[in-house]
Amino acid sequence: MKLVGLRLPGPNCREMALVTNVCEYEELAKHKLPKMVYDFYAAGAEDQWTLRENSEAFSRILFQPRVLVDVSCIDMSMSVLGYNISMPIMIAPTALHKLAHPEGSGELATARAAAAAETIMIYKDRNLVQQLIQRAEKAGYKAIVLTVDAPWLGRREADVKNRFTLPQNVMLKIFEGLDQGKIDETNGSGLAAYVASQIDRSFSWKDINWLQTVTSLPVLVKGIITAQDKYGAAGIIMSNHGGRQLDYLPATISCLEELCHMEANGRVPVFIDSGFRRGTDVFKALALGASGIGRPVLFSLAIDGEAGVRNALRMLRDELEITMALSGCTSVKEITRGHVVTESDRIRRCSRL
């Protein structure tokens, strides 16, 4: 008996009213979503060390607040590649929103919530790539995000055990009409088999130049965690794929400062995802040099559709606003490196004693 399309009993209204942070949506979603879907969203690669480290690394960064500052007005607005948004919190690239909200509009619900929050939702065959880019340009997209850390799909053992595939009513909509949108069932992970058939594993940095010749949109590269990589893009999105690709990678937040200061050096904006749970995490990333952060919203989408996503973004915004006020910052530009203390800082201080 297959449970792919089954919706389990969801939370009641009282439970919904008690949601006070984005982490609580995950616990509610665990009881509502089919196991295969929840595991697809929540599980990491192999031992899942990086998955845990992504969030735990934030706990080792502490605050150094400023006091006696007039914080009666807090401005969180900023500009991304010339596009004004209300806060440095964006919706990170994530696939298959329809699995979380099968009776609703999936990605459309997420996009509407992003628009309501005045923020941004980030979205082998070169002919196919060009067709997709042309669709994006015609649809009014403002930039192209190229994921570069998945030439092979990481070994996600939960997907293998669950024999992950898509329900009949879910497909990769962007490929509709191109005969590429269906993930078939296999003896293992259907997603892994699909990626193996579609991804050009020879793709390299020289191909970034080709991509820039087929679109006038700025190209951002997602999936970088080291300053040793070279760029050539309009922006960088630091990501370890949420711990779902190569396990035992460091948390992105622990690599952020090196990349921002040693390589990017202000030449291009550096965004970051993986492990963000609180507005305090957002503040820490901004203090270490990030231009903005990406956060998945799939569990809030699963619980309450568009309203859930809007609430998740609101909670993160509220937490960031409080953190800024209590740190003595009235705008995003006032958040500096001096507002946080990292493990490296503490080690250097101890060595001088």
Side-chain angles (χ1 to χ4, degrees), residues 14-249:
R14 185 172 183 274
E15 289 175 319
M16 284 298 301
L18 293 177
V19 172
T20 58
N21 62 74
V22 296
C23 296
E24 292 177 355
Y25 275 121
E26 179 171 352
E27 185 61 29
L28 293 173
K30 185 175 183 179
H31 297 288
K32 181 177 183 180
L33 291 171
K35 185 178 186 301
M36 183 187 74
V37 174
Y38 175 80
D39 287 350
F40 171 68
Y41 288 148
E46 297 185 350
D47 298 326
Q48 304 188 97
W49 183 89
T50 297
L51 179 71
R52 295 187 295 273
E53 178 66 6
N54 273 339
S55 57
E56 291 174 2
F58 282 102
S59 68
R60 299 191 288 273
I61 303 172
L62 306 179
F63 292 124
Q64 292 191 138
R66 308 293 186 271
V67 297
L68 293 177
V69 176
D70 180 355
V71 290
S72 57
C73 182
I74 305 294
D75 180 13
M76 286 179 281
S77 64
M78 59 177 293
S79 177
V80 175
L81 300 175
Y83 186 79
N84 295 325
I85 58 177
S86 67
M87 57 182 173
I89 301 168
M90 293 161 274
I91 297 178
T94 42
L96 301 174
H97 293 217
K98 189 73 173 180
L99 287 178
H101 199 229
E103 77 283 0
S105 49
E107 279 83 357
L108 292 177
T110 305
R112 286 194 293 264
E118 298 181 58
T119 190
I120 292 173
M121 178 182 176
I122 306 171
Y123 268 116
K124 169 175 178 179
D125 180 342
R126 292 197 172 190
N127 180 56
L128 175 62
V129 171
Q130 287 184 263
Q131 290 183 61
L132 296 177
I133 289 173
Q134 290 167 3
R135 286 185 178 183
E137 291 174 338
K138 290 179 180 178
Y141 285 83
K142 304 300 182 184
I144 298 294
V145 174
L146 177 66
T147 297
V148 297
D149 64 344
W152 293 64
L153 197 70
R155 184 167 176 79
R156 306 169 190 177
E157 295 176 358
D159 289 348
V160 174
K161 290 178 180 178
N162 294 328
R163 297 187 178 184
F164 177 85
T165 189
L166 292 183
Q168 292 297 318
N169 65 329
V170 178
M171 70 172 297
L172 303 177
K173 188 72 174 179
I174 194 171
F175 294 126
E176 190 173 45
L178 301 176
D179 194 28
Q180 301 286 337
K182 190 62 183 173
I183 297 177
D184 297 323
E185 186 174 0
T186 69
N187 289 329
S189 167
L191 180 63
Y194 179 84
V195 168
S197 70
Q198 298 298 323
I199 296 297
D200 181 359
R201 290 171 172 169
S202 69
F203 197 84
S204 63
W205 287 106
K206 69 181 186 318
D207 296 297
I208 301 295
N209 295 328
W210 168 81
L211 188 61
Q212 291 169 327
T213 67
V214 298
T215 181
S216 59
L217 297 176
V219 177
L220 289 83
V221 177
K222 171 187 175 287
I224 291 174
I225 62 167
T226 173
Q228 297 177 50
D229 273 329
K230 304 302 179 183
Y231 314 122
I236 298 164
I237 302 179
M238 286 194 69
S239 176
N240 57 30
H241 224 95
R244 292 157 59 79
Q245 280 296 99
L246 180 62
D247 202 10
Y248 294 95
L249 288 177

Side-chain angles (χ1 to χ4, degrees), residues 300-312:
S300 56
L301 177 69
I303 295 304
D304 202 24
E306 179 184 341
V309 177
R310 293 175 67 168
N311 191 47

